[in-house]
Amino acid sequence: MQHPEASPWVGLRRSAVTAAVCCAVFAMPLAAQVTTTPPPPRPDTVQLLTPIGVTVRHRDTTRTDTTHPPLMQRLTLPAIASVTAAQAARTVNAVDAEDAVKYLPSTFLRKRNFGDNQATIESRVWGVGSSARTLVFADGVPLTALIANNNTIGAPRWGLVSPNEIARIDVMYGPFSAAYAGNSMGEVMEITTRFPTRLEGGIEQTAAAQTFSLYGTDQTFGTSQTAGYLGDRLGRLSFWLSGNYQNSQSQPLSYVTSTSFPSGTAGGFAAQNKLGATANILGAGGLLHTGMTNLTGKVAYDLTPSLRATYTAGYWDNSSTSDAATYLTGAGAPTFASQSGFASGTNVLSEQHLAQSLSLRTDTHRDWDVEVVGSIYNFEHDRQNSPSAATADTTFNAAGKIAVLDGTGWRTLDVKGSWHAGGDSAIHTVSAGVHSDYYDLYNPTYNTLDWHGDATTTVATEGDGKTQTLAAWIQDRWRIRPDLALTVGGRLENWRAFDGLNVNGSTRVVQPFVSDNRFSPKGILAWTASPQWSFTGSVGKAYRFATASELYQLVSTGTTFTSPAPNLKPDDDLSTELRAARTTGRVRTQLSLFQDDVHDAIISQFLPLVPGSSTLYSYLSNVDHVRARGAELVLGTTDLGVPDLDINASATWVDARVLAISGQASAGATPGSDVGKRLPQIPEWRGDINAIYHPGNRWSLSLAGRYSGPLYTTLDNSDVNPNTYQGFSSWLVFDTRLTWRFGAHWTPSLGVDNLLDRKYFFFHPFPQRTFVGGLKYAF
């Protein structure tokens, strides 16, 4: 066996050699095909179902075409849902890049406030706490942070993409492509950005105001953002520069709770937690004031008419303060009453992250193509300072903690090649590739005598560790006959976790080295029965390996403590789907029946730190057997009954159950009582609808609604009081947006999110009625 400390570098050298060999193999036929003039256009090499909500046009073979995804993506991602930039601009009150996915079928974006750096995705079979069960890419570069599987550092790095550079977003539901890791068991989201063909630029000013009233907080919270971009094409060279600065204030993201009201105080609100236990509301925490800067630059150079090199760099700076506000008074004055929850909801955060990527892509319009994408993401500086205790007035003791993530980061490399002789008439389209990733978590929390400063004393807790995956995959799309195609493939993965270290006070534990090898077969059978009807059957095996955070992180977040689990087995998923689509005139309909059958599902649970405590601890374990099965109906219309009126809607029903459970996951419940209960964080019903009226090209008006039904957050379904802090409510919210383009350059917009002012919780209290206005100048 290789030495655990040396083997990461050995693995990386091995993957680099493999990548070089693959590049050489694919480059040989490419070298013979290089010409001094672009080759004649030819049809796409694969056929996809018409995506819901996208108008399909004839392909433009220039490099700026965004009607279709990039070549290698079309060959490896059987997308079934898409949204274009134009459609999102008419529908969504977009401030951040992630807002564009807001109305994709069976997709919920957990975004607590503008500028939220913890915006995760709920797929149709996994909840918002499963960030590592969804893959998000921008031009093939991973935005998903597979360092964790949670709502904190595991959230996708959306800030690396400017809203103005998004061309389209395509989604695959389920692990049905061998080109993607087992983290695709939820969904894969590929964001395609654009490059300019001429000099263009713009500047946009956005302002938002949220009116929030809950418990003792009745206040308006504002957001201001200034964004700009500039791009051009100069011969073979293209460039894009974009940046934005956002100054935002959030509603309370947490509350200070207690089983009793402090002696000698007045105020506060009697309440219960999600389990029905007393959890009186003493005050608000998590009142974020954030100053966030995103800078992105990318340069592309056409080495030949069919080979492009692209370098992208992104810088993210986030400085925020989280404050607490008390609802209590003592002797006629506001007081924290020495309640530790006020300290938990207070912190100062400073983060600077740097991302870089380099890609080589061909689009030869011939028989062979190749794509190489490498990326590096570094937490250059990431520190959160927080006090340890509150005083009897409204201040804090000087002592506190400093949580550090400096040095955390990851590196990825993907090499893909394809052989697709004959275009649409090809009998076989073969794709293959290799993948390497390396994730490094470094997360000590230090004690400090002055939480406002940088000096530290001793280590309070620490959770460090590394993971690495090496993979090779291949798949073949076999055109059996013109109306019938079979895609089969497989992915072989070697995963390892090492250098695990946990420290808690004077206790120091070196975690064991672990490794695993798994093979994941895939298959898709697609039948185009007629110009109106198409049918697809898909099956895929997927193994989702634990992240470094799940294995090693030992942290406290607010009133929740998280303990590591260094011996987790991977999620073992068998996913199947049957899909029928019909297009008739101006109506598009799609029905999907799906099932995910998972053994050893890694699920997080929360229990009181001590009986009756409002302080929780989170632990992870493998649940023996769970299953989620359901149906999704998607409908899209264009100009049906009313000219220039588009309506898109979706409804999803899921029955997600625990089939077998043993061991630690049943802690706190009668043995066996969890069997048959619903899986945490997955609602039975959800849906969305949006209507867009856009006469001509000058203005548009949209009205959209989103619904999520009741759900549980515990394996034993003991949530008896969901509409409270840390509970998950059912909710129905409506949004509206008006845009108007006047002149050649100006586009003002005005919208309202949560139009009916619905008050609901998704663990955190979510935004209430929010007014969003913007003015954009573009040339």
Side-chain angles (χ1 to χ4, degrees):
M1 178 182 295
Q2 297 172 335
H3 193 279
E5 295 182 356
S7 50
W9 306 109
V10 174
L12 287 176
R13 288 196 296 270
R14 185 190 311 128
S15 63
V17 171
T18 305
V21 171
C22 289
C23 287
V25 170
F26 284 114
M28 286 188 290
L30 290 176
Q33 297 169 4
V34 173
T35 61
T36 57
T37 58
R42 69 183 180 94
D44 294 334
T45 56
V46 295
Q47 292 178 330
L48 301 178
L49 293 178
T50 302
I52 297 299
V54 175
T55 302
V56 178
R57 303 178 179 87
H58 294 293
R59 183 186 178 203
D60 177 2
T61 57
T62 66
R63 292 191 178 278
T64 57
D65 170 44
T66 57
T67 304
H68 292 274
L71 172 65
M72 199 62 67
Q73 181 180 321
R74 297 197 304 273
L75 295 174
T76 58
L77 185 77
I80 60 172
S82 301
V83 62
T84 64
Q87 185 184 24
R90 292 170 176 164
T91 311
V92 183
N93 296 309
V95 177
D96 306 303
E98 62 267 31
D99 295 328
V101 309
K102 198 172 183 178
Y103 297 103
L104 284 170
S106 299
T107 299
F108 168 67
L109 178 69
R110 174 198 177 268
K111 184 179 176 182
R112 305 168 300 169
N113 55 282
F114 289 126
D116 187 6
N117 60 2
Q118 300 180 16
T120 55
I121 289 175
E122 175 187 288
S123 64
R124 65 186 182 186
V125 291
W126 292 103
V128 293
S130 297
S131 63
R133 292 187 176 106
T134 293
L135 292 173
V136 182
F137 297 86
D139 300 324
V141 177
L143 301 184
T144 301
L146 296 181
I147 196 76
N149 183 39
N150 57 30
N151 297 328
T152 52
I153 64 172
R157 280 7 193 196
W158 303 104
L160 297 178
V161 179
S162 161
N164 287 305
E165 67 177 320
I166 294 176
R168 60 181 294 121
I169 300 173
D170 299 277
V171 177
M172 172 185 72
Y173 300 105
F176 303 127
S177 172
Y180 298 92
N183 308 85
S184 62
M185 61 193 297
E187 62 185 55
V188 176
M189 183 177 294
E190 286 273 10
I191 301 173
T192 302
T193 67
R194 62 188 183 89
F195 266 106
T197 57
R198 57 171 179 80
L199 178 64
E200 64 171 287
I203 187 168
E204 184 173 10
Q205 181 64 41
T206 304
Q210 177 194 170
T211 58
F212 185 90
S213 179
L214 189 64
Y215 297 121
T217 302
D218 189 353
Q219 192 175 343
T220 298
F221 299 96
T223 296
S224 175
Q225 177 170 280
T226 303
Y229 65 94
L230 179 68
D232 198 2
R233 181 179 176 92
L234 306 170
R236 294 186 176 189
L237 180 70
S238 302
F239 73 89
W240 177 278
L241 301 172
S242 62
N244 70 276
Y245 174 75
Q246 183 180 116
N247 188 323
S248 63
Q249 292 181 307
S250 77
Q251 78 280 7
L253 297 179
S254 63
Y255 288 100
V256 181
T257 62
S258 176
T259 56
S260 62
F261 290 104
S263 177
T265 64
F269 297 84
Q272 294 180 329
N273 65 16
K274 64 182 181 181
L275 304 178
T278 300
N280 299 314
I281 305 294
L282 308 184
L287 288 156
L288 286 178
H289 182 196
T290 301
M292 184 183 301
T293 301
N294 290 294
L295 299 173
T296 301
K298 57 183 182 179
V299 179
Y301 187 78
D302 296 333
L303 299 169
T304 73
S306 60
L307 176 62
R308 165 170 284 192
T310 304
Y311 170 76
T312 302
Y315 173 77
W316 179 67
D317 182 286
N318 179 47
S319 299
S320 69
T321 58
S322 176
D323 295 321
T326 182
Y327 301 153
L328 300 175
T329 59
T335 178
F336 285 159
S338 301
Q339 296 292 305
S340 61
F342 289 102
S344 300
T346 302
N347 62 69
V348 177
L349 179 64
S350 175
E351 300 173 289
Q352 290 89 43
H353 295 186
L354 179 64
Q356 300 178 79
S357 68
L358 180 64
S359 66
L360 290 170
R361 289 186 174 89
T362 68
D363 192 349
T364 63
H365 302 280
R366 297 179 185 271
D367 297 345
W368 290 88
D369 278 289
V370 67
E371 175 181 282
V372 181
V373 180
S375 71
I376 299 174
Y377 192 99
N378 288 325
F379 289 51
E380 302 289 337
H381 173 81
D382 197 303
R383 300 193 175 203
Q384 184 180 78
N385 296 35
S386 57
S388 295
T391 65
D393 50 26
T394 55
T395 61
F396 301 98
N397 293 334
K401 290 183 170 58
I402 301 177
V404 176
L405 284 165
D406 299 4
T408 295
W410 53 86
R411 304 189 293 271
T412 69
L413 175 66
D414 280 279
V415 180
K416 302 176 183 178
S418 67
W419 175 67
H420 41 80
D424 278 346
S425 61
I427 301 300
H428 291 278
T429 299
V430 180
S431 303
V434 293
H435 167 85
S436 172
D437 63 52
Y438 178 83
Y439 289 85
D440 187 353
L441 174 68
Y442 179 68
N443 189 202
T445 297
Y446 297 99
N447 293 308
T448 178
L449 298 177
D450 180 9
W451 72 276
H452 289 291
D454 295 325
T456 62
T457 55
T458 58
V459 174
T461 62
E462 185 168 352
D464 307 336
K466 302 178 178 69
T467 64
Q468 183 187 35
T469 304
L470 299 173
W473 61 271
I474 187 170
Q475 63 184 26
D476 177 21
R477 180 181 180 272
W478 174 27
R479 177 182 286 276
I480 301 173
R481 62 190 194 201
D483 63 339
L484 188 65
L486 173 65
T487 301
V488 293
R491 185 180 184 92
L492 178 63
E493 294 174 296
N494 168 257
W495 171 87
R496 50 202 302 279
F498 50 97
D499 290 351
L501 172 66
N502 286 122
V503 178
N504 188 357
S506 60
T507 303
R508 181 183 178 93
V509 178
V510 177
Q511 301 293 1
F513 167 84
V514 292
S515 64
D516 206 346
N517 295 289
R518 299 296 173 107
F519 177 73
S520 307
K522 323 279 185 178
I524 301 175
L525 182 64
W527 176 39
T528 305
S530 70
Q532 294 78 34
W533 283 97
S534 61
F535 301 90
T536 305
S538 305
V539 60
K541 190 73 176 174
Y543 295 95
R544 203 278 296 181
F545 297 101
T547 63
S549 176
E550 290 170 300
L551 295 168
Y552 307 123
Q553 197 170 30
L554 178 65
V555 297
S556 61
T557 305
T559 59
T560 300
F561 296 85
T562 302
S563 62
N567 295 301
L568 290 171
K569 292 179 285 188
D571 292 328
D572 180 351
D573 177 40
L574 177 62
S575 183
T576 53
E577 182 190 56
L578 292 174
R579 185 171 72 251
R582 178 174 171 81
T583 302
T584 56
R586 294 181 171 86
V587 180
R588 303 173 304 280
T589 308
Q590 184 172 275
L591 175 64
S592 300
L593 305 177
F594 56 86
Q595 175 174 292
D596 274 62
D597 194 82
V598 186
H599 292 267
D600 298 323
I602 302 173
I603 294 180
S604 174
Q605 284 294 287
F606 296 88
L607 289 177
L609 191 61
V610 295
S613 172
S614 59
T615 298
L616 305 177
Y617 81 94
S618 167
Y619 65 93
L620 290 156
S621 63
N622 289 111
V623 177
D624 299 81
H625 191 189
V626 304
R627 183 185 63 207
R629 54 173 51 157
E632 174 193 81
L633 179 64
V634 182
L635 173 69
T637 69
T638 303
D639 301 332
L640 184 63
V642 178
D644 301 311
L645 177 64
D646 299 341
I647 299 176
N648 294 287
S650 71
T652 306
W653 170 80
V654 181
D655 181 42
R657 303 281 176 176
V658 176
L659 302 185
I661 189 170
S662 60
Q664 186 181 1
S666 61
T670 304
S673 65
D674 299 334
V675 175
K677 299 295 178 66
R678 295 192 62 86
L679 282 179
Q681 299 186 356
I682 305 174
E684 183 177 10
W685 284 97
R686 77 187 87 172
D688 63 79
I689 183 170
N690 65 77
I692 311 170
Y693 182 57
H694 52 98
N697 297 318
R698 290 292 179 182
W699 66 279
S700 66
L701 176 65
S702 71
L703 177 65
R706 294 170 292 138
Y707 171 76
S708 179
L711 56 81
Y712 296 98
T713 64
T714 57
L715 279 171
D716 60 359
N717 294 179
S718 56
D719 308 33
V720 295
N721 186 32
N723 197 36
T724 189
Y725 171 54
Q726 297 188 357
F728 283 62
S729 316
S730 60
W731 47 268
L732 172 65
V733 297
F734 289 93
D735 310 323
T736 186
R737 178 174 173 83
L738 172 66
T739 61
W740 175 41
R741 181 173 177 266
F742 69 91
H745 305 289
W746 295 94
T747 305
S749 62
L750 181 64
V752 184
D753 286 342
N754 196 353
L755 182 65
L756 302 181
D757 202 24
R758 174 77 163 90
K759 298 179 181 181
Y760 64 102
F761 293 86
F762 228 67
F763 189 95
H764 310 274
F766 261 55
Q768 298 175 14
R769 184 184 292 122
T770 304
F771 300 87
V772 184
L775 179 62
K776 179 178 180 179
Y777 175 84
F779 63 87

